[in-house]
Amino acid sequence: MSETEENKPRDRAGVVVRAVRLSDAEEISDLINLPGYRAGTLRPPYQRVEEVRKNMENPSPGALNLVVTLEGKIVGNCGLNRLGGRRQRVASIGMGVHDDFTGRGFGRILLGAMVDAADDCLDVKRLELTVYTDNEAAIALYEKFGFEKEGLLRAFAYRAGEYVDAYTMARLRA
Protein backbone atom coordinates (compact mmCIF):
# COMPACT_ATOMS: atom_id res chain seq x y z
CA MET A 1 0.00 0.00 0.00
CA SER A 2 1.42 3.39 -0.92
CA GLU A 3 1.80 6.08 1.76
CA THR A 4 -0.98 8.07 0.10
CA GLU A 5 -3.37 5.09 0.28
CA GLU A 6 -2.32 4.41 3.86
CA ASN A 7 -3.29 7.93 4.91
CA LYS A 8 -6.71 7.97 3.23
CA PRO A 9 -9.68 7.64 5.57
CA ARG A 10 -10.92 4.10 5.95
CA ASP A 11 -14.48 3.05 6.58
CA ARG A 12 -14.98 2.44 10.28
CA ALA A 13 -18.31 1.51 11.80
CA GLY A 14 -20.09 4.57 13.14
CA VAL A 15 -17.44 7.06 11.94
CA VAL A 16 -18.50 9.91 9.66
CA VAL A 17 -16.61 12.93 8.36
CA ARG A 18 -18.92 15.78 7.40
CA ALA A 19 -19.20 19.54 7.10
CA VAL A 20 -19.87 21.53 10.24
CA ARG A 21 -23.51 22.50 10.84
CA LEU A 22 -24.78 25.47 12.84
CA SER A 23 -26.55 22.97 15.08
CA ASP A 24 -23.07 21.70 16.11
CA ALA A 25 -22.21 24.94 17.94
CA GLU A 26 -22.85 23.65 21.46
CA GLU A 27 -21.02 20.37 20.92
CA ILE A 28 -18.06 22.11 19.26
CA SER A 29 -17.95 24.62 22.12
CA ASP A 30 -17.75 21.70 24.57
CA LEU A 31 -14.99 20.12 22.46
CA ILE A 32 -12.80 23.21 22.18
CA ASN A 33 -13.09 23.93 25.90
CA LEU A 34 -11.58 20.57 26.88
CA PRO A 35 -8.18 21.11 28.53
CA GLY A 36 -6.22 18.72 26.30
CA TYR A 37 -7.81 19.99 23.10
CA ARG A 38 -7.26 23.61 24.10
CA ALA A 39 -3.61 22.98 25.09
CA GLY A 40 -2.76 22.24 21.45
CA THR A 41 -4.44 25.38 20.09
CA LEU A 42 -4.34 29.16 20.42
CA ARG A 43 -7.87 29.25 21.82
CA PRO A 44 -8.47 30.98 25.15
CA PRO A 45 -10.36 29.05 27.83
CA TYR A 46 -14.09 29.23 28.44
CA GLN A 47 -15.32 29.95 24.93
CA ARG A 48 -19.05 30.63 24.94
CA VAL A 49 -21.44 28.82 22.63
CA GLU A 50 -22.55 32.20 21.25
CA GLU A 51 -18.96 33.04 20.21
CA VAL A 52 -18.55 29.67 18.53
CA ARG A 53 -21.89 30.02 16.73
CA LYS A 54 -21.01 33.54 15.54
CA ASN A 55 -17.73 32.26 14.04
CA MET A 56 -19.61 29.40 12.40
CA GLU A 57 -22.15 31.80 10.89
CA ASN A 58 -19.43 34.01 9.38
CA PRO A 59 -16.70 31.76 7.96
CA SER A 60 -13.93 33.33 5.92
CA PRO A 61 -14.38 33.10 2.13
CA GLY A 62 -13.37 29.69 0.81
CA ALA A 63 -13.20 28.14 4.27
CA LEU A 64 -13.91 24.45 4.81
CA ASN A 65 -14.83 23.22 8.28
CA LEU A 66 -15.19 19.51 8.98
CA VAL A 67 -16.00 17.32 11.95
CA VAL A 68 -15.44 13.64 12.52
CA THR A 69 -18.16 11.89 14.48
CA LEU A 70 -18.38 8.53 16.19
CA GLU A 71 -21.95 7.27 16.45
CA GLY A 72 -23.16 10.87 16.08
CA LYS A 73 -20.81 12.39 18.71
CA ILE A 74 -18.28 14.96 17.48
CA VAL A 75 -14.82 13.68 18.38
CA GLY A 76 -12.70 16.09 16.33
CA ASN A 77 -12.79 19.08 14.04
CA CYS A 78 -10.60 20.63 11.37
CA GLY A 79 -10.72 23.95 9.59
CA LEU A 80 -9.13 25.13 6.36
CA ASN A 81 -8.85 28.83 5.55
CA ARG A 82 -7.88 29.97 2.06
CA LEU A 83 -5.55 32.90 1.62
CA GLY A 84 -5.98 35.53 -1.06
CA GLY A 85 -4.15 37.56 -3.65
CA ARG A 86 -0.84 36.07 -4.70
CA ARG A 87 -1.34 33.36 -2.10
CA GLN A 88 -4.73 32.19 -3.37
CA ARG A 89 -3.49 28.60 -3.80
CA VAL A 90 -2.41 28.48 -0.16
CA ALA A 91 -4.53 27.47 2.83
CA SER A 92 -3.86 27.18 6.54
CA ILE A 93 -5.34 24.41 8.63
CA GLY A 94 -5.98 23.77 12.29
CA MET A 95 -7.46 20.75 13.97
CA GLY A 96 -8.06 19.00 17.24
CA VAL A 97 -9.41 15.77 18.69
CA HIS A 98 -11.54 15.25 21.81
CA ASP A 99 -9.42 14.50 24.89
CA ASP A 100 -11.04 11.08 25.34
CA PHE A 101 -10.47 10.02 21.72
CA THR A 102 -6.82 10.86 21.01
CA GLY A 103 -4.56 8.12 19.70
CA ARG A 104 -7.46 6.21 18.11
CA GLY A 105 -7.06 7.30 14.48
CA PHE A 106 -9.63 10.09 14.39
CA GLY A 107 -7.00 12.75 13.66
CA ARG A 108 -5.73 10.66 10.75
CA ILE A 109 -9.24 10.23 9.38
CA LEU A 110 -10.01 13.93 9.70
CA LEU A 111 -6.70 15.15 8.29
CA GLY A 112 -6.99 12.66 5.44
CA ALA A 113 -10.38 14.03 4.49
CA MET A 114 -9.11 17.61 4.62
CA VAL A 115 -5.99 16.86 2.55
CA ASP A 116 -8.10 15.02 -0.02
CA ALA A 117 -10.48 17.99 -0.27
CA ALA A 118 -7.58 20.43 -0.59
CA ASP A 119 -5.89 18.34 -3.30
CA ASP A 120 -8.84 16.99 -5.26
CA CYS A 121 -11.47 19.71 -5.04
CA LEU A 122 -10.01 23.01 -3.87
CA ASP A 123 -6.78 23.12 -5.94
CA VAL A 124 -4.67 24.03 -2.91
CA LYS A 125 -0.98 23.87 -3.77
CA ARG A 126 0.35 24.60 -0.27
CA LEU A 127 -1.16 23.65 3.09
CA GLU A 128 0.33 25.40 6.11
CA LEU A 129 0.00 24.95 9.86
CA THR A 130 1.66 25.73 13.16
CA VAL A 131 2.12 23.17 15.89
CA TYR A 132 3.67 23.42 19.34
CA THR A 133 7.10 21.81 19.43
CA ASP A 134 6.09 19.55 22.33
CA ASN A 135 3.09 18.08 20.46
CA GLU A 136 4.97 15.04 19.19
CA ALA A 137 1.87 13.04 18.26
CA ALA A 138 0.53 15.85 16.04
CA ILE A 139 3.93 16.43 14.43
CA ALA A 140 4.22 12.71 13.61
CA LEU A 141 0.71 12.73 12.09
CA TYR A 142 1.45 15.78 9.95
CA GLU A 143 4.72 14.26 8.75
CA LYS A 144 2.85 11.10 7.67
CA PHE A 145 0.79 13.33 5.39
CA GLY A 146 3.86 14.97 3.86
CA PHE A 147 4.10 18.10 6.00
CA GLU A 148 7.65 19.27 6.62
CA LYS A 149 9.02 21.56 9.31
CA GLU A 150 9.97 24.87 7.75
CA GLY A 151 10.81 27.00 10.74
CA LEU A 152 10.83 27.49 14.48
CA LEU A 153 8.65 30.21 15.96
CA ARG A 154 10.22 31.06 19.33
CA ALA A 155 7.98 32.21 22.18
CA PHE A 156 5.08 31.71 19.78
CA ALA A 157 2.31 31.63 22.38
CA TYR A 158 1.66 31.85 26.09
CA ARG A 159 0.34 28.57 27.51
CA ALA A 160 0.04 27.30 31.07
CA GLY A 161 2.04 30.20 32.47
CA GLU A 162 4.98 30.10 30.07
CA TYR A 163 5.96 30.96 26.53
CA VAL A 164 6.13 27.99 24.18
CA ASP A 165 7.70 27.50 20.78
CA ALA A 166 5.99 26.21 17.67
CA TYR A 167 7.02 24.84 14.30
CA THR A 168 5.66 26.14 11.08
CA MET A 169 5.01 23.20 8.80
CA ALA A 170 3.80 22.97 5.21
CA ARG A 171 2.85 20.39 2.62
CA LEU A 172 3.26 21.10 -1.08
CA ARG A 173 1.12 19.22 -3.56
CA ALA A 174 3.22 17.90 -6.45
Side-chain angles (χ1 to χ4, degrees):
M1 178 182 305
S2 74
E3 185 169 279
T4 305
E5 290 171 343
E6 176 183 308
N7 290 332
K8 289 200 177 201
R10 294 187 183 100
D11 289 335
R12 287 177 59 175
V15 175
V16 174
V17 175
R18 62 169 173 80
V20 170
R21 302 176 186 141
L22 286 178
S23 61
D24 294 331
E26 188 169 340
E27 198 171 352
I28 289 175
S29 178
D30 291 343
L31 174 71
I32 65 180
N33 281 308
L34 292 169
Y37 180 104
R38 191 178 62 245
T41 73
L42 292 172
R43 293 183 180 277
Y46 311 113
Q47 298 230 318
R48 296 176 315 147
V49 174
E50 296 79 18
E51 293 172 62
V52 172
R53 184 176 288 112
K54 184 178 176 184
N55 289 333
M56 291 170 66
E57 289 171 345
N58 299 302
S60 59
L64 177 61
N65 294 292
L66 302 176
V67 293
V68 61
T69 65
L70 175 62
E71 298 174 358
K73 175 185 176 58
I74 295 174
V75 296
N77 71 328
C78 186
L80 175 148
N81 289 300
R82 304 267 328 221
L83 304 180
R86 292 181 184 220
R87 299 198 74 211
Q88 64 186 343
R89 296 288 176 232
V90 178
S92 64
I93 62 169
M95 64 179 288
V97 174
H98 190 290
D99 292 11
D100 295 338
F101 293 88
T102 60
R104 294 174 50 185
F106 295 104
R108 179 189 51 76
I109 291 168
L110 191 56
L111 184 58
M114 189 61 82
V115 167
D116 285 349
D119 287 353
D120 299 340
C121 303
L122 303 175
D123 193 23
V124 173
K125 173 75 173 170
R126 176 184 170 87
L127 278 175
E128 302 175 333
L129 59 87
T130 55
V131 59
Y132 293 123
T133 57
D134 62 357
N135 194 342
E136 295 172 11
I139 293 166
L141 174 64
Y142 300 141
E143 288 175 338
K144 286 180 184 175
F145 279 87
F147 286 84
E148 296 178 12
K149 294 174 189 165
E150 293 188 331
L152 175 66
L153 305 168
R154 297 182 331 196
F156 176 72
Y158 194 70
R159 181 187 70 188
E162 64 184 12
Y163 288 97
V164 293
D165 297 343
Y167 292 120
T168 180
M169 297 181 76
R171 174 189 182 274
L172 299 177
R173 188 187 60 188

